[in-house]
């Protein structure tokens, strides 16, 4: 095929992915004459998960378009909130544990791999469970098997959380999900969870919740103020009217510190989000 030169421009939101000479208006790109526009964009460093639209000579184009010589291309960022083909459910890679816990704290369905299972397995799980894969690994987001994916732009957990909530606008249901395993929480009386508690905890607290999946026990403990601040800020900015503006008064929602037991029977407190 005859090679073709096109001119391409990336909106500022995508400049993080491209080299400096492509951040100042349109720049020339020579294609092989057979590759799709989607392939060209990815070859320049931008995962298609971050592309919200392609415009060729002023008209919307698909990623499967094969560019011809002389065409002018604009690459747009994803519009926020981003629409998904299904409910907003997430899968986070091994480097995003804090973000996973904070999403779960807000009641968002966030699966997380605490060990590195490899890019193919992550992509396969994303497809099998129809989850949006969240990652700071750009190469991972190029995998074709993904059901959907999104680049996490910051390395700071607070900014990461705002980024995901802004982009996908998931419904928030604070205090309803286990921060350890992503299971749902239920109210639990002290008698039913006594075997999981240290004596000090048993004496000091009366309101408990327990995960229906992993049995971890929660109560309003030492980290409550910090966690409550995360919830309050997120709901104030990203709540859609269906989520509470503050934590409800029921046991399920106020129990936010956690304790689990090691194999030797000693209790282990779960750290803050």
């Amino acid at each position: 095929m005859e090679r073709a030169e096109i001119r391409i421009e990336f909106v500022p939101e995508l400049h993080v992915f491209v080299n400096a000479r492509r951040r100042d208006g349109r720049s020339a790109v020579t294609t092989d004459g057979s590759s799709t526009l989607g392939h060209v964009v990815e070859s320049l460093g931008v995962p298609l998960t971050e592309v919200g639209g392609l415009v060729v000579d002023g008209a919307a184009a698909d990623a499967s378009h094969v560019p011809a010589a002389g065409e002018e291309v604009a690459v747009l960022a994803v519009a926020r909130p981003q629409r998904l083909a299904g409910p907003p459910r997430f899968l986070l890679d091994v480097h995003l544990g804090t973000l996973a816990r904070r999403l779960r704290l807000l009641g968002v369905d966030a699966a997380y791999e605490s060990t590195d299972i490899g890019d193919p397995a992550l992509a396969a799980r994303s497809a099998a469970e129809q989850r949006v894969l969240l990652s700071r690994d750009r190469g991972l987001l190029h995998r074709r098997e993904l059901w959907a994916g999104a680049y996490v732009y910051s390395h700071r957990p607070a900014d990461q959380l705002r980024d995901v909530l802004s982009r996908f606008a998931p419904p928030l249901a604070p205090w309803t999900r286990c921060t350890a395993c992503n299971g749902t929480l239920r109210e639990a009386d002290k008698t039913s969870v006594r075997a999981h508690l240290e004596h000090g905890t048993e004496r000091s607290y009366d309101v408990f919740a327990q995960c229906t999946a992993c049995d971890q026990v929660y109560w309003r403990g030492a980290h409550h103020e910090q966690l409550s601040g995360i919830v309050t800020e997120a709901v104030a900015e990203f709540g859609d009217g269906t989520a509470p503006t503050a934590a409800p008064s029921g046991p399920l929602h106020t129990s936010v510190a956690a304790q689990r037991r090691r194999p030797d029977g000693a209790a282990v407190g779960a750290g803050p989000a």
Side-chain angles (χ1 to χ4, degrees), residues 9 37 46 101 119 132 178 184 187 203-204 223-224 237:
E9 180 178 8
L37 184 54
V46 183
R101 289 190 293 274
D119 291 1
V132 180
C178 177
T184 56
E187 296 182 18
R203 289 194 305 270
S204 302
H223 302 301
H224 174 71
E237 185 170 2

Side-chain angles (χ1 to χ4, degrees), residues 4-107:
E5 183 177 282
I6 63 173
R7 294 184 63 78
I8 192 166
E9 180 178 8
F10 297 92
V11 295
E13 294 92 327
L14 300 178
H15 286 179
V16 65
F17 299 106
V18 299
N19 62 40
R21 66 189 181 90
R22 301 202 184 278
R23 298 173 187 169
D24 187 19
R26 286 191 171 90
S27 60
V29 176
T30 301
T31 74
D32 60 12
S34 61
S35 293
T36 65
L37 184 54
H39 177 80
V40 172
V41 169
E42 286 195 310
S43 72
L44 297 176
V46 183
L48 291 184
T49 61
E50 307 312 297
V51 175
L54 298 167
V55 179
V56 178
D57 290 341
D62 191 78
S64 62
H65 171 75
V66 177
E71 288 183 340
E72 300 211 344
V73 176
V75 184
L76 310 180
V78 172
R80 297 186 178 218
Q82 182 178 348
R83 295 183 179 274
L84 297 171
R89 292 155 31 94
F90 302 98
L91 171 63
L92 291 79
D93 71 18
V94 67
H95 303 292
L96 297 176
T98 299
L99 175 59
R101 289 190 293 274
R102 293 190 179 194
L103 287 170
R104 292 169 178 177
L105 181 67
L106 294 169

